[in-house]
Amino acid sequence: MTTESVEVRRGVPEGAAARVAELYWEAFAGKLGVALGPAAAGRRFIAEHLHADRAVTALSGGTGGEGGRVVGVAGYQLAGRGLVGGDAAAVRAQYGPVQGLYRVFLLALLERTPARGELVMDGIAVDPAERSRGIGGLLLREIEAIAVEQGCRRIRLDVVAENPRARELYERHGFRAVRVQRTPWLRDVLGFGAVTTMHKEVAAR
């Protein structure tokens, strides 16, 4: 399989919010499930609070620049905005005042704030049926291009120990581990016991 029939675009195509939410949930349900589950509620929350301008999407099957099915998405944070928005009030509105407050606390544990001159990735999600086609690499290259255009000096991401496939992808594309934070107290709550922070230096314009 090749990436010849895959087109990478910035943003979320019109009408594709639910599809992006589906892919994102499939990839990160293990981490987001406790905070935003059950699955139907989590996908709905993501779709309703997407920041389309903080996404890069991969489409397959389109012809002549038309249509195509979203088969991959990468999110990123810049200037205080990430792929998925929704403040505490939005969480409480969907999940109720009591459950919502607990979920806000859990989501806060997952927050990552970019340092000056840094683009933070919100993760990559690729349709399981489309993996091993190089789609993740295409998305990463476009994220790097955005970082350069925005004058960032590096890209930062966090990958959990339970996702070695993702770490291998990042390492193939020049990311290096700079810190491992062991979080055994989060294993029963959020499903992971260690997080590796990875950096890739980029040449800002």
Side-chain angles (χ1 to χ4, degrees):
M1 303 290 285
T2 71
T3 57
E4 291 178 1
S5 62
V6 176
E7 177 189 359
V8 172
R9 296 184 188 175
R10 297 184 185 184
V12 175
E14 186 176 353
R19 171 60 176 162
V20 168
E22 176 188 358
L23 290 174
Y24 204 72
W25 185 263
E26 190 280 331
F28 300 109
K31 184 165 64 173
L32 296 175
V34 176
L36 294 179
R43 290 192 295 265
R44 183 172 67 252
F45 185 89
I46 293 170
E48 291 177 353
H49 297 91
L50 277 179
H51 289 151
D53 61 342
R54 293 295 185 264
V56 174
T57 49
L59 291 86
S60 181
T63 58
E66 296 295 329
R69 176 174 170 80
V70 176
V71 294
V73 58
Y76 61 93
Q77 293 186 43
L78 270 177
R81 287 164 58 86
L83 175 62
V84 182
D87 58 12
V91 176
R92 292 197 301 270
Q94 176 157 321
Y95 296 96
V98 177
Q99 281 293 317
L101 186 62
Y102 175 62
R103 291 165 189 263
V104 168
F105 167 74
L106 293 176
L107 290 170
L109 296 176
L110 301 173
E111 281 293 318
R112 296 160 297 164
T113 303
R116 186 177 179 84
E118 186 176 69
L119 179 149
V120 172
M121 286 195 59
D122 280 335
I124 286 182
V126 176
D127 186 330
E130 303 286 344
R131 289 174 185 167
S132 301
R133 295 184 62 189
I135 293 172
L138 291 177
L139 293 169
L140 279 173
R141 284 193 286 274
E142 192 64 21
I143 289 286
E144 183 172 346
I146 292 170
V148 170
E149 291 171 13
Q150 293 296 318
C152 297
R153 68 178 184 275
R154 75 181 176 206
I155 303 170
R156 182 180 114 220
L157 59 84
D158 294 325
V159 60
V160 299
E162 289 75 10
N163 195 355
R165 183 188 180 104
R167 177 166 176 166
E168 290 172 2
L169 169 67
Y170 299 138
E171 288 176 339
R172 287 199 305 272
H173 288 270
F175 287 84
R176 60 184 180 84
V178 296
R179 182 176 67 253
V180 177
Q181 181 180 7
R182 309 214 175 268
T183 55
W185 59 90
L186 290 180
R187 185 179 298 279
D188 292 337
V189 178
L190 295 176
F192 57 88
V195 177
T196 299
T197 297
M198 306 185 77
H199 287 171
K200 181 174 182 178
E201 307 301 319
V202 296
R205 287 181 179 174

